[in-house]
Amino acid sequence: MLDFIQQLVSGIALGCVYGLIALGFVLIYKATEVVNFAQGDLMMLGGFFVFTFIGLMGLDYWLGFLFAVCGMAVFGMATERILIRPILGYPQFSIVMATIGLGYFLRSIAGMIWGTDDLKIETPFSAGVVKIGDLVLAHDKLSVIVATVILCIVLFAFFNYTRLGTAMRATSENMLAAYYMGIPVKRVVSLIWAISAAVAATAGVLLAPITFIHSNVGLALGLKAFPAAVLGGFGSIPGAVVGGLIIGVIETLAGFYLPQGWKDVMPYIVLLVVLLIRPQGLFGPSMRKKV
Amino acid sequence: MSFFTVDGISLQFGGLKAVDDVSFSVSKGEIFTIIGPNGAGKTSIFNLISRLYNPTSGRLSFEDSDITEVPPHQIAKLGIARTFQNIELFENASMLANLLVGRHCHATTALWQDMLFMPSVRRAEKAHRRKVEEVIEFLDLQAYRDKIIAGLPYGVRKVIEVARALCSEPKLILLDEPSSGLNVEETDDMSFWIRDIRSELGITVLMVEHDMSLVNRVSDRVLALNYGKVLASGTPSEVQAHPDVIAAYLGA
Amino acid sequence: MRFIFKTDYDQDIRILKHSGYWWSYGILLAVMIATPYVLGSYMQSQLVFVFIYAIVGVALMILTGFTGQASLGHAAFLAIGAYTAGFMQSLGVPFIVYFPLAAVLTGIVGALVGFPALRLHGIYLVIATIAFAFIVEEVLARWESVTHGNEGMRVRTLDLFDIPIARDSDAFYFLCLLVLVGVTLLALNLLRSPTGRAFIAIRDSETAGKSMGIDLATYKVKSFAISAAITGMAGVLFAHKMTFISPEMFTLLLSIEFIMVIIIGGAFGVHGAIFGAIFIVMVDPFLTALKDDVPVLVSSIASSLGMAKETAADLRDDLSRIGSAAGLKGAIYGLIIMMFILFEPYGLYGRWLKVKLFFQLFPLYKRATFKRQKTYVKSERNR
């Protein structure tokens, strides 16, 4: 029983990681209907930024964290300006391919700049553990869970209760109409990319002590976060986190209880089954085209 | 039993009754128009007839057979074709390809025959093209034969949609607001064509329309709807004189 | 400029529309047949890869370009074809049997993948195909009695009616060319028949297609099955070309390469698949050249322009270090994809058409002919 709970908790921690990356997907999708396949790679880049600030330049952890997040926000804005804005409104699949191209590019460049070794940084969460009875919880994992919950609540409130959030939702529904209603569409879109990249950077920084920083870490985690976002019904903020938790828990439990090999495919099997039953994901609204 | 009958049909979206117990019947060779303010449920009735929506209750019958349960892609084969309010053409294909898709319900060749383009496919293709050319001639669309739809003006697309529906050689054609977005001249042309569709091709017309002058010119009978319910039915002048209809339009 | 007066329906139906086509495709075919006797073995081998990629490109063109169903799982279909070939061959089944068998088997798997596609749209479908490809990859790695797992599997030399066809022989080249030509004809036939038009209808408006009598379920499944079957055939050729197959050859990255083929080629015509395949396969020889020849060339130009010998040598070393940096290929791939989507959205085939039109209309060509209209995001959720 204790095994189970221990596994469940580490599954939840892993799930939060996926959820955190999935949040980035969902934000951009919610505001622009663009699916950003490079989200995992933005996270990877965030990790490398924080490594540069803390590991190489020797800054304080929190200062490095802040710099990395701000740096990534600027990077996200630049990406939007250069790559996304010219093709916004093209068929969805073209944009998906463009972001896949971006991912390739970032991975390769990061590998050239920072090398291909696993990098590690010391953080305040690196070593400590919390013990509840026989249950052992590592600080680094707890920090991920806490950050995910906070970010999820903040972003949910932002989208549903602020003027800017409403403007973002309007933009995704019909960009031209939003334009006519006086919403500064270009600024809104560039802002959402900044926010999304910042969320990715946060994920990258929090993950640094757990997974190491490596140029392929983004691809590996991104490919798990993606089903998480789909499972939750792309476009739903709580859905992303719930989807992430489901994938994380299933993966961990499958790795513990099932024969080798099931760990990696189980999330995808669950995803296919869910999509067969509910094609719009767990939290996605069912809609159809009006004629 | 008559040509086409809608019997007590209802459609419910959650708590909203989009169509509420509507019954009417259309006889062969008639031009029958449904009018009503926006949101009265006119297009919903069309979507029910072409089976895109499932009715909550009620029956539809066409030529003595019940079509309430027929899957949507078989409706065309039975002889019911339609157009759409906001134009649903195949944007990135030529007009000819669009019209040939209209012939799809008459396709008889199997997949392997298509892949190898057997002589039977070639023969069928020629027959389809002959029929399509007749429709192009009928609606005067020769100039646009090889043009891609995406580049054509709205008025032309509207006509092409009618042409695509005619290509399936229907017995009943559903026109969803044929004149919306057309200028006065184009609306005039459309009214002639609608009458020709009935008199020359012998196709029964069921349409939804807002332009009352067009309705008066072409329709034999009119049905007025509001909030999914039937207000009145009869000849155009009877319906327009009906107090409930006047109230619905003027909001009294 | 050529004006064509149509007097017969056959003129529209024909694949080669007029005598000009006969000439140009005849010459192309003659060149392709002469190639093995002219080019070196390395380029011939690259051409075989072009053919295999082009076959997959045609398959994807049918599914993604014409039916509008995106797939990032085609590497899995290729794998199924390749492993069928390897396994059947080890059982002693002749090529003439397992080649069509691989196509049929992959086609059936493709149809099964097509079923979820009936209800999934856009990004959900992309994810479903990725998930499918992962599962196939894992099965290949675990089903050791058939696939030898991660150790991989040797594929013996192709044996056609007891005549061995080595992987780098002229005969293998012609076999691949033959399959490509056959598959292309198949695709073109589909496009001019009711089935192909139904595919296009599904791509552009499912609702209208339904009301015109197209059974979406049947046609989507057909499209998936045909596309998968063609990819399965390519898989058999791929297995024989590589002579060794293992699960890590068929990853998501390969599927992405296949999609690149049609995006770079231009996703609106069968020509695009072939242009794209040429481009993708030739990236490798280009990179090799970048590594070996360019630094030497640049430094010799620099020294001939009066640069000191040591600096020129340094320059050469720097350049070759960049050229051989690990992962350069990834960066170049990424750049290629982004550049094409940004600046050449109609792909190489689109560029070809533009150049052709330029000469046909000279000097009256207007740049605006192909200008994209301004587009705005409109929710695709309500479809």
Side-chain angles (χ1 to χ4, degrees):
Chain A
M1 190 60 204
L2 187 67
D3 269 351
F4 178 77
I5 294 176
Q6 189 72 51
Q7 291 298 323
L8 195 65
V9 172
S10 53
I12 290 174
L14 185 66
C16 282
V17 172
Y18 296 152
L20 215 48
I21 306 172
L23 269 181
F25 282 126
V26 167
L27 286 177
I28 292 182
Y29 185 78
K30 240 175 131 65
T32 58
E33 295 242 328
V34 168
V35 180
N36 178 18
F37 261 75
Q39 191 69 30
D41 300 298
L42 291 180
M43 184 209 82
M44 172 271 294
L45 210 57
F48 275 120
F49 274 23
V50 87
F51 171 78
T52 310
F53 290 131
I54 299 170
L56 295 181
M57 291 161 66
L59 292 180
D60 173 57
Y61 176 76
W62 294 104
L63 201 60
F65 197 148
L66 186 71
F67 279 4
V69 168
C70 294
M72 281 309 293
V74 173
F75 185 83
M77 246 185 214
T79 307
E80 190 275 333
R81 185 69 198 83
I82 296 166
L83 182 64
I84 302 299
R85 193 175 296 177
I87 56 172
L88 214 53
Y90 279 20
Q92 206 180 36
F93 196 62
S94 306
I95 305 184
V96 166
M97 281 311 293
T99 59
I100 287 179
L102 177 69
Y104 257 118
F105 187 70
L106 293 182
R107 276 197 295 285
S108 169
I109 294 294
M112 283 183 203
I113 297 176
W114 286 284
T116 45
D117 299 327
D118 284 348
L119 302 176
K120 203 178 171 173
I121 50 167
E122 285 301 314
T123 74
F125 308 115
S126 283
V129 288
V130 175
K131 280 193 180 158
I132 307 169
D134 290 330
L135 207 61
V136 182
L137 300 173
H139 273 169
D140 48 9
K141 288 185 177 158
L142 276 179
S143 71
V144 171
I145 298 178
V146 171
T148 308
V149 171
I150 294 174
L151 270 178
C152 177
I153 293 170
V154 169
L155 291 171
F156 185 76
F158 171 73
F159 260 92
N160 287 296
Y161 302 113
T162 65
R163 273 171 64 91
L164 195 57
T166 314
M168 283 174 177
R169 282 189 292 154
T171 308
S172 80
E173 199 68 35
N174 187 336
M175 195 191 267
L176 195 57
Y179 231 162
Y180 288 153
M181 296 314 292
I183 294 171
V185 170
K186 286 180 187 167
R187 250 185 291 158
V188 164
V189 173
S190 120
L191 194 64
I192 197 70
W193 271 81
I195 296 176
S196 174
V199 171
T202 312
V205 176
L206 290 171
L207 275 185
I210 304 177
T211 58
F212 303 112
I213 309 164
H214 183 269
S215 58
N216 280 330
V217 72
L219 181 68
L221 289 173
L223 281 176
K224 290 277 172 51
F226 216 88
V230 169
L231 203 58
F234 239 102
S236 156
I237 288 176
V241 176
V242 174
L245 287 179
I246 294 174
I247 298 274
V249 169
I250 286 174
E251 189 184 328
T252 317
L253 291 183
F256 193 72
Y257 289 105
L258 292 177
Q260 206 198 354
W262 284 96
K263 179 173 180 286
D264 289 326
V265 278
M266 213 45 207
Y268 294 105
I269 295 175
V270 171
L271 175 77
L272 281 182
V273 171
V274 170
L275 284 184
L276 276 178
I277 300 164
R278 266 183 77 86
Q280 70 276 26
L282 293 174
F283 291 79
S286 161
M287 290 194 248
R288 61 167 138 193
K289 190 172 178 178
K290 252 182 111 172
V291 287
Chain B
M1 220 168 157
S2 66
F3 182 62
F4 175 73
T5 315
V6 172
D7 185 18
I9 207 156
S10 300
L11 175 68
Q12 202 156 354
F13 291 123
L16 175 77
K17 276 209 161 170
V19 178
D20 190 1
D21 195 22
V22 171
S23 304
F24 61 89
S25 65
V26 182
S27 14
K28 202 168 169 58
E30 206 177 15
I31 297 180
F32 190 97
T33 307
I34 301 176
I35 61 167
N38 287 326
K42 308 181 294 293
T43 299
S44 294
I45 290 185
F46 269 30
N47 287 342
L48 284 168
I49 297 173
S50 50
R51 299 285 300 107
L52 298 175
Y53 293 165
N54 285 320
T56 322
S57 64
R59 318 295 307 167
L60 299 162
S61 69
F62 178 65
E63 289 195 316
D64 298 333
S65 58
D66 190 322
I67 59 164
T68 325
E69 308 281 327
V70 175
H73 61 265
Q74 279 173 13
I75 291 291
K77 200 169 214 157
L78 291 174
I80 302 179
R82 73 169 290 183
T83 67
F84 296 87
Q85 194 174 344
N86 296 320
I87 303 188
E88 289 283 328
L89 285 168
F90 309 118
E91 290 279 324
N92 300 306
S94 67
M95 180 188 89
L96 193 63
N98 268 272
L99 299 192
L100 283 168
V101 173
R103 299 287 305 160
H104 190 88
C105 54
H106 299 286
T108 48
T109 49
L111 178 62
W112 67 271
Q113 290 173 314
D114 282 358
M115 278 204 255
L116 301 175
F117 215 75
M118 303 298 282
S120 61
V121 180
R122 187 179 291 269
R123 264 197 312 278
E125 273 299 283
K126 284 186 187 167
H128 289 326
R129 279 164 193 268
R130 214 163 288 131
K131 182 67 206 170
V132 164
E133 289 299 329
E134 280 171 26
V135 174
I136 291 179
E137 177 89 23
F138 180 75
L139 292 176
D140 240 356
L141 288 167
Q142 294 88 343
Y144 309 105
R145 192 179 282 114
D146 291 321
K147 295 272 194 304
I148 301 294
I149 299 294
L152 295 176
Y154 192 86
V156 176
R157 294 188 203 197
K158 207 88 196 174
V159 182
I160 293 175
E161 229 195 359
V162 176
R164 186 180 63 184
L166 288 179
C167 282
S168 67
E169 297 179 72
K171 295 170 198 151
L172 172 68
I173 188 169
L174 313 177
L175 303 174
D176 198 346
E177 302 200 13
S179 81
S180 73
L182 300 186
N183 63 28
V184 181
E185 257 172 79
E186 289 167 333
T187 309
D188 267 352
D189 285 345
M190 190 59 88
S191 77
F192 291 126
W193 278 323
I194 292 172
R195 270 184 289 191
D196 284 352
I197 287 171
R198 190 253 307 261
S199 55
E200 282 185 29
L201 304 178
I203 298 170
T204 310
V205 179
L206 173 58
M207 68 175 186
V208 161
E209 184 51 65
H210 275 299
D211 182 341
M212 285 316 286
S213 71
L214 176 67
V215 173
N216 287 335
R217 259 182 294 167
V218 302
S219 338
D220 299 317
R221 281 197 298 146
V222 175
L223 177 88
L225 281 184
N226 198 17
Y227 297 116
K229 284 198 176 69
V230 178
L231 289 182
S233 72
T235 64
S237 48
E238 278 169 21
V239 170
Q240 276 178 64
H242 197 285
D244 286 350
V245 177
I246 295 169
Y249 272 92
L250 299 179
Chain C
M1 195 175 169
R2 188 191 295 267
F3 290 97
I4 295 164
F5 295 98
K6 289 182 190 162
T7 51
D8 186 2
Y9 293 128
D10 268 330
Q11 276 179 309
D12 255 359
I13 296 173
R14 268 201 285 271
I15 289 180
L16 299 172
K17 301 262 185 269
H18 54 74
S19 59
Y21 283 71
W22 280 102
W23 277 106
S24 41
Y25 286 101
I27 291 171
L28 181 67
L29 195 66
V31 168
M32 293 326 287
I33 289 173
T35 300
Y37 307 106
V38 180
L39 282 184
S41 65
Y42 175 67
M43 283 318 278
Q44 187 185 333
S45 176
Q46 287 303 110
L47 269 181
V48 169
F49 278 112
V50 169
F51 294 156
I52 294 175
Y53 271 61
I55 296 169
V56 182
V58 170
L60 261 180
M61 196 64 79
I62 292 173
L63 183 67
T64 306
F66 296 123
T67 322
Q69 311 294 311
S71 160
L72 274 177
H74 263 56
F77 295 131
L78 193 80
I80 294 172
Y83 272 94
T84 310
F87 183 64
M88 287 289 158
Q89 198 192 31
S90 70
L91 294 182
V93 178
F95 175 79
I96 201 74
V97 174
Y98 69 71
F99 184 66
L101 194 71
V104 171
L105 188 70
T106 325
I108 292 170
V109 176
L112 290 179
V113 178
F115 277 108
L118 305 179
R119 303 184 58 187
L120 299 178
H121 285 289
I123 201 64
Y124 292 90
L125 182 60
V126 174
I127 284 298
T129 56
I130 291 180
F132 157 74
F134 270 116
I135 293 170
V136 169
E137 206 185 313
E138 199 61 32
V139 169
L140 292 179
R142 302 282 156 195
W143 194 6
E144 293 186 352
S145 57
V146 172
T147 65
H148 302 290
N150 280 322
E151 278 172 28
M153 188 175 195
R154 298 212 64 80
V155 182
R156 274 179 285 125
T157 305
L158 196 160
D159 199 29
L160 189 62
F161 303 120
D162 289 331
I163 307 162
I165 299 180
R167 59 187 288 242
D168 41 16
S169 63
D170 291 351
F172 193 76
Y173 171 92
F174 286 119
L175 178 69
C176 292
L177 181 61
L178 188 73
V179 175
L180 173 61
V181 171
V183 162
T184 310
L185 284 179
L186 222 75
L188 291 175
N189 278 342
L190 266 186
L191 284 180
R192 55 183 177 156
S193 68
T195 310
R197 286 194 299 266
F199 288 167
I200 290 173
I202 291 175
R203 176 189 70 191
D204 284 356
S205 169
E206 291 195 356
T207 323
K210 231 189 303 192
S211 317
M212 290 293 112
I214 295 167
D215 181 4
L216 297 185
T218 317
Y219 280 94
K220 278 188 184 174
V221 169
K222 273 182 187 172
S223 180
F224 263 95
I226 294 171
S227 182
I230 294 176
T231 313
M233 289 192 231
V236 175
L237 298 175
F238 185 76
H240 282 298
K241 180 68 191 164
M242 303 305 282
T243 64
F244 173 78
I245 45 177
S246 71
E248 71 259 25
M249 294 162 82
F250 305 98
T251 55
L252 178 64
L253 297 184
L254 187 64
S255 296
I256 292 177
E257 258 181 46
F258 290 149
I259 286 286
M260 279 172 73
V261 166
I262 63 166
I263 285 198
I264 288 172
F268 58 95
V270 176
H271 292 78
I274 290 154
F275 281 121
I278 296 173
F279 191 97
I280 287 287
V281 174
M282 291 306 165
V283 167
D284 261 333
F286 171 74
L287 280 180
T288 319
L290 201 66
K291 222 166 7 194
D292 302 341
D293 304 342
V294 172
V296 180
L297 190 71
V298 170
S299 71
S300 63
I301 291 175
S303 61
S304 71
L305 288 176
M307 191 187 262
K309 229 182 183 112
E310 291 82 53
T311 18
D314 281 351
L315 181 68
R316 189 189 63 216
D317 292 344
D318 284 346
L319 283 175
S320 69
R321 197 159 46 248
I322 295 174
S324 52
L328 179 70
K329 194 177 169 188
I332 290 188
Y333 265 28
L335 269 183
I336 291 172
I337 303 179
M338 290 190 282
M339 291 298 157
F340 264 94
I341 289 173
L342 280 177
F343 301 116
E344 200 75 280
Y346 296 106
L348 292 171
Y349 183 46
R351 173 54 56 190
W352 167 259
L353 291 182
K354 285 177 207 172
V355 171
K356 205 161 121 184
L357 192 71
F358 177 82
F359 284 108
Q360 279 175 348
L361 295 180
F362 189 81
L364 299 172
Y365 179 78
K366 289 180 296 193
R367 287 178 64 95
T369 313
F370 287 97
K371 198 166 159 45
R372 272 209 169 183
Q373 279 189 338
K374 191 141 184 59
T375 46
Y376 298 91
V377 176
K378 226 176 155 196
S379 180
E380 284 188 28
R381 280 173 241 166
N382 309 324
R383 54 184 291 157

